Amino acid sequence: WTPDGLRLTFVADMGRDRDLVVGGAAYSIDVPDPGFEGDPTGVPERLTGEELICAGAWWAGERLLVAGLTGGPVGHTRLFHLDGGALTEVTEGLDRNLMIGAPGYPGAIPQPAGDELIFCARDGGCTHLYRAGGGKLVGGDQVVSGVSAAAGRIAYVAATPHSAGEVYLLDLPGGGEAGQSAVTRLTSYALDDVELFTPRSRTFTAPDGTPVEGFVLRDETLTGPGPLLLDVHGGPHNTWAPVFDGVHLYHQMLAAKGWTVLTLNPRGSDGYGEAFYTAVVGAWGVTDDFLSPIDELVAEGVADPDRLGLTGYSYGGYISCWLPTRTDRFKAAIPGGCVSDLSSMAGTSDLGYLLKVHECGGDVTDHSPMENVGKVTTPTLLLHGENDDRCPVGQAEQWFAALRERGVPVRLVRYPGGSHLFILNGRPSHRTDYNERIVAWLEQWIPSAGTAVSPS
């Protein structure tokens, strides 16, 4: 609502070719008075121009805040004030991506807090709370995923290495500096009777010298090389964080069984600047960022090169199909919500055209795992939601059929009614099953102590 309660402001893409041209703008429309009996349909007034792909709009007092992209559909989302049709960037100078709390992602709606304007942005693997022009209010190993402010007091939800989410209260006395703020934890959802393994951040170096941050989760009392699971995040512009992950519980389960779990933020990941974010555009399937960190852990005696597993979801599912076409180092692969054939994906996914043109640069053949499926020998478990519109289930069916035809051990599990985000918000029974099947498949094909495995 506008502050006077007479108009609604909303974001929509009303372009004639919106299936081919990524767009979005902020609009405002009159709202009839109560009791109005005529046709309430009005004509929306466009507020933002073509220079901005608008992702959100909110009133903060008398100011209209808009979030969007100015350099095309792949890049950082930024925050602006809109005044008389002119955009003034609030996040200018901050080379980080605005996080507005879209489905499946952390962050929160930008909003005023007393005299401050606060918003969330990614930094490294974490999502932090910022004040406009004043730096961070909440930093460290935390992922903020909800914010509500009133009278200079800020309530927020944050995951930490010890909890998947707690509610905190942040007081800003007199609008003072963040260093003078008092933080109080209001809830206690930590699993006090469970000893969690803590992901340790470290920086690996790709062959071209590019630093790649990763997180190593393992029982640090163990010595000697053991089995390792590489887990690849989705997006490709998502990111892993060094906090307790309440979705990928198999990480903790495997660590308890003597595994090392390696999560990496390769090129394309969010939180490391826009150049790093867009470095994978037209370069899907870059392998060095994934393989060279494994080489480092093998050289350090942490990972056994003969006991390597691979999994990932969405873009991570794509990489879990792609890497086995390039190497036979992985003894088991588990693509979730996978992408196996970018050509068919372009015509069947709800974002197929955007992925084809803007993520893959229009040429999908050279980046499609299906083009080299004949090289795959890795036993593969496919986990896929049947109602996935982003990565349609046909992607898993194609990969299953191609591997089955070639005699590669493969299994396909379809989750009835499962959307692309079913591992986040689907049936609890499906989410439990997803986690348990990953552990079981890895244990079938990768022995914990060097024993032989059954080909069944």
Side-chain angles (χ1 to χ4, degrees):
W1 290 95
T2 54
D4 59 14
L6 299 179
R7 296 174 68 83
L8 279 175
T9 304
F10 62 94
V11 172
D13 184 356
M14 298 187 184
R16 181 185 299 273
D17 297 322
R18 56 186 175 272
D19 56 332
L20 301 178
V21 180
V22 181
Y27 294 86
S28 183
I29 190 169
D30 287 326
V31 178
D33 292 331
F36 180 80
E37 296 182 355
D39 182 0
T41 304
V43 178
E45 174 191 0
R46 181 164 180 159
L47 304 178
T48 55
E50 299 290 344
E51 76 279 9
L52 181 74
I53 300 175
C54 193
W58 312 272
W59 284 96
E62 298 297 323
R63 298 180 296 179
L64 181 63
L65 300 174
V66 294
L69 298 88
T70 58
V74 180
H76 279 177
T77 300
R78 305 181 185 279
L79 183 62
F80 302 86
H81 285 138
L82 181 66
D83 184 11
L87 293 173
T88 303
E89 186 175 348
V90 175
T91 50
E92 185 174 7
L94 179 65
D95 190 17
R96 291 294 183 263
N97 194 32
L98 180 72
M99 302 299 292
I100 61 175
Y105 288 83
I109 292 174
Q111 57 196 278
D115 295 332
E116 305 280 355
L117 177 63
I118 59 175
F119 60 90
C120 291
R122 273 205 171 129
D123 187 24
C126 295
T127 300
H128 293 152
L129 182 63
Y130 291 75
R131 67 204 307 180
K136 292 181 183 178
L137 290 169
V138 177
D141 288 346
Q142 298 190 76
V143 173
V144 176
S145 57
V147 175
S148 180
R153 310 184 81 194
I154 303 170
Y156 65 93
V157 177
T160 69
H162 308 291
S163 172
E166 304 285 353
V167 180
Y168 296 86
L169 181 65
L170 174 66
D171 283 313
L172 295 177
E177 295 298 321
Q180 301 173 345
S181 305
V183 177
T184 303
R185 190 178 73 175
L186 300 180
T187 63
S188 180
Y189 294 119
L191 305 175
D192 296 329
D193 57 340
V194 177
E195 184 177 351
L196 296 173
F197 299 99
T198 302
R200 303 297 184 187
S201 173
R202 60 173 295 173
T203 300
F204 300 94
T205 303
D208 65 356
T210 300
V212 175
E213 186 176 24
F215 305 99
V216 178
L217 183 78
R218 71 192 307 263
D219 183 347
E220 296 176 356
T221 66
L222 298 178
T223 59
L228 177 141
L229 174 69
L230 169 64
D231 199 340
V232 184
H233 67 63
H237 309 297
N238 211 327
T239 191
W240 290 112
V243 299
F244 172 51
D245 190 330
V247 174
H248 303 85
L249 292 174
Y250 56 88
H251 290 176
Q252 294 286 332
M253 296 166 66
L254 289 168
K257 292 174 176 285
W259 283 68
T260 295
V261 178
L262 174 62
T263 52
L264 295 170
N265 289 338
R267 270 167 276 204
S269 301
D270 197 2
Y272 303 90
E274 191 162 29
F276 196 88
Y277 184 102
T278 58
V280 77
V281 173
W284 277 32
V286 174
T287 59
D288 287 342
D289 288 2
F290 299 108
L291 298 180
S292 56
I294 294 177
D295 291 337
E296 289 190 42
L297 293 177
V298 168
E300 294 170 7
V302 172
D304 183 342
D306 296 322
R307 289 187 284 166
L308 302 177
L310 171 66
T311 191
Y313 195 85
S314 195
Y315 179 78
Y318 162 80
I319 293 293
S320 298
C321 295
W322 175 264
L323 282 178
T325 71
R326 294 298 190 265
T327 177
D328 60 0
R329 297 178 64 180
F330 297 101
K331 306 308 178 185
I334 309 166
C338 78
V339 177
S340 63
D341 184 357
L342 286 168
S343 295
S344 62
M345 176 88 162
T348 56
S349 168
D350 63 343
L351 288 183
Y353 188 78
L354 179 144
L355 294 171
K356 173 184 176 180
V357 174
H358 299 288
E359 285 286 357
C360 298
D363 181 9
V364 297
T365 302
D366 290 343
H367 303 285
S368 186
M370 193 60 69
E371 296 299 313
N372 294 287
V373 68
K375 299 178 182 179
V376 177
T377 60
T378 307
T380 300
L381 170 66
L382 293 150
L383 305 174
H384 217 106
E386 280 196 345
N387 289 7
D388 190 335
D389 292 326
R390 185 62 40 85
C391 302
V393 70
Q395 294 293 310
E397 292 173 328
Q398 286 180 257
W399 199 243
F400 172 82
L403 296 187
R404 187 79 179 98
E405 179 181 345
R406 289 161 176 79
V408 178
V410 62
R411 183 175 297 168
L412 168 59
V413 180
R414 302 159 59 114
Y415 291 88
S419 72
H420 190 59
L421 296 182
F422 86 92
I423 64 169
L424 299 179
N425 57 19
R427 297 179 186 175
S429 60
H430 288 178
R431 287 181 274 157
T432 299
D433 185 82
Y434 186 94
N435 279 267
E436 291 178 342
R437 285 185 186 273
I438 289 177
V439 174
W441 189 257
L442 291 171
E443 289 186 324
Q444 177 180 347
W445 294 101
I446 303 177
S448 59
T451 57
V453 297
S454 168
S456 61

